[in-house]
Amino acid sequence: MKILITGNMGYVGPGVVRQLRSTFPNATLIGYDMAYFATCLTNATVFPESKLDVQLFGDVRTMPAEVLEGVDAVVHLAAISNDPMGTKFEDITLDVNYKSSVRIAEMAKAAGVKSYVFASSCSMYGATEGSAKTESSTLNPLTAYARSKVFTEQGVEPLAGDGFTVTCLRFATACGMSDRLRLDLVLNDFVAGAVATGKINILSDGSPWRPLIHVKDMARAIEWAITRDASNGGEFLAVNAGSNEWNYQVSELAEAVADVIPGTEVTLNRDAAPDKRSYCVNFDLFKSLAPNHQPQVTLKQAIQELRDGLMAMNFKDGDFRNSLLMRLKVLTSLQDTGEINDQLQWKHNKTKVSEEQAELETA
């Protein structure tokens, strides 16, 4: 089997590569990445990409069709990966996350790829009330990032069929230690604050709901999606990926961290404007379709692992929200030093995005 993993040099990618190498030891694994975050290694025991057969560097906006020759499965992780980046780079977010995702799926089908796995997001449910959201619930994306996921699902659904299986994994909010750790995620942020300062400063009133999933469990879900066939979920499948037990209010997550790291002080911003991004999610369909690939990591284990990983890094940065462990800070730093331009392209790269590609689609 030959598997292409786009965006493999980010936060989730190292765990996916490790999982696929372990499960498919004889597979040919190919990475394709822009390498914005390649140097953001955090206490990695080995260089994550050493587990690949090939690492290609490039922009998904201009990825050539030849990359897909002989590929059996595509794991498409590449994206402008969170709400702050989506707010600052809204047009680029839709170009990278949406237009390029559909284009790669089209090229993949034309090349004879059998399985296309898209890293989608539960954030598309947005502001919700009442019962936990299922795959048939009304979508209410509130950010450019969430909208890009909705548009992509809509764009790739018609491609499924004729031996081309499409799986959109609507992941819960990622968390956990990684070889390229991000701290711009709710649980990771709370553990970092507890380790560095003994304090967790919640920016909201603590009431919003979030479903979470550990990066190791994301990798297990991706393994399942690669190998599933149309008899298990259909030629096109959009499925919530996570666990019902991992729906938490933000304040509950902070208290869970304080329980694991004694002496941690938790403060709420009771005067904060309401955070509209609040949603509980139902993961029953995923449990029924993928019973052998269900989340295994507990919340306590995730917190302990983050604590131990940060302590091994001798992490003491109380101002980490302004550090290069925040993905937006990495991109703005690369812009400030002149390494990338306003379209987030490397200055040295001669392959530029055409004006037609760079136009914002409003579908």
Side-chain angles (χ1 to χ4, degrees):
M1 182 158 50
K2 190 175 184 179
I3 305 171
L4 174 70
I5 308 157
T6 69
N8 65 286
M9 302 182 85
Y11 170 61
V12 178
V16 172
V17 170
R18 187 178 297 111
Q19 179 74 21
L20 297 183
R21 177 53 70 209
S22 174
T23 306
F24 310 116
N26 297 319
T28 299
L29 302 182
I30 304 168
Y32 190 92
D33 199 283
M34 194 70 160
Y36 295 137
F37 312 114
T39 60
C40 299
L41 292 167
T42 46
N43 208 40
T45 54
V46 298
F47 186 54
E49 288 66 53
S50 64
K51 296 184 180 295
L52 295 170
D53 295 280
V54 179
Q55 175 66 61
L56 302 174
F57 296 97
D59 190 330
V60 291
R61 291 171 287 185
T62 56
M63 191 182 90
E66 300 82 68
V67 172
L68 292 157
E69 290 180 3
V71 169
D72 297 293
V74 172
V75 176
H76 189 49
L77 303 176
I80 303 297
S81 60
N82 64 12
D83 291 337
M85 287 196 289
T87 299
K88 184 174 178 63
F89 305 111
E90 183 168 355
D91 289 6
I92 299 172
T93 292
L94 292 184
D95 194 26
V96 171
N97 295 14
Y98 160 43
K99 291 165 61 177
S100 297
S101 300
V102 176
R103 173 177 166 267
I104 289 172
E106 292 171 341
M107 292 193 301
K109 183 172 183 177
V113 172
K114 299 178 182 66
S115 176
Y116 179 83
V117 180
F118 175 62
S120 192
S121 172
C122 286
S123 65
M124 61 176 59
Y125 296 116
T128 63
E129 295 179 355
S131 59
K133 300 304 162 184
T134 68
E135 291 78 4
S136 60
S137 296
T138 301
L139 303 180
N140 184 25
L142 300 176
T143 64
Y145 173 78
R147 288 190 293 274
S148 75
K149 300 299 186 181
V150 174
F151 294 160
T152 299
E153 287 194 11
Q154 294 171 343
V156 299
E157 182 174 4
L159 300 175
D162 300 321
F164 186 62
T165 302
V166 176
T167 310
C168 300
L169 295 169
R170 294 179 179 175
F171 282 120
T173 300
C175 68
M177 193 64 196
S178 165
D179 291 338
R180 289 192 176 91
L181 181 63
R182 287 171 53 187
L183 296 183
D184 48 9
L185 295 160
V186 59
L187 186 67
N188 298 4
D189 175 293
F190 289 171
V191 178
V195 170
T197 67
K199 297 180 180 180
I200 296 175
N201 296 313
I202 303 177
L203 300 179
S204 70
D205 65 0
S207 65
W209 285 89
R210 290 285 188 280
L212 268 66
I213 185 171
H214 194 280
V215 285
K216 291 179 181 177
D217 290 324
M218 295 175 73
R220 293 186 183 98
I222 287 168
E223 176 200 316
W224 166 77
I226 288 173
T227 57
R228 82 169 187 93
D229 58 36
S231 66
N232 184 27
E235 293 174 322
F236 174 83
L237 175 66
V239 60
N240 298 332
S243 168
N244 292 333
E245 291 72 29
W246 275 67
N247 281 297
Y248 292 100
Q249 285 185 286
V250 170
S251 58
E252 292 179 310
L253 294 173
E255 293 299 337
V257 174
D259 288 342
V260 173
I261 306 175
T264 300
E265 176 186 346
V266 177
T267 60
L268 298 171
N269 184 0
R270 299 189 184 280
D271 297 326
D275 188 344
K276 294 181 179 179
R277 299 168 303 162
S278 180
Y279 44 92
C280 287
V281 176
N282 181 294
F283 298 98
D284 287 348
L285 178 60
F286 180 58
K287 188 173 184 178
S288 67
L289 293 175
N292 298 323
H293 291 80
Q294 288 300 290
Q296 298 177 9
V297 182
T298 67
L299 178 60
K300 184 176 181 179
Q301 288 171 336
I303 295 168
Q304 290 171 331
E305 181 189 61
L306 282 163
R307 175 200 62 194
D308 295 347
L310 288 166
M311 291 179 68
M313 292 164 53
N314 197 31
F315 180 78
K316 298 178 180 177
D317 185 3
D319 192 33
F320 64 87
R321 287 175 178 165
N322 289 308
S323 77
L324 295 181
L325 290 171
M326 311 293 283
R327 290 301 191 245
L328 178 58
K329 293 295 182 180
V330 176
L331 291 185
T332 55
S333 177
L334 289 171
Q335 285 188 321
D336 291 344
T337 57
E339 296 290 340
I340 59 176
N341 61 22
D342 60 357
Q343 290 297 308
L344 304 186
Q345 301 162 308
W346 294 105
K347 291 285 187 71
H348 63 263
N349 193 338
K350 296 179 182 179
T351 304
K352 300 300 181 184
V353 178
S354 69
E355 290 183 7
E356 182 179 353
Q357 285 175 300
E359 288 178 357
L360 174 64
E361 286 195 9
T362 57

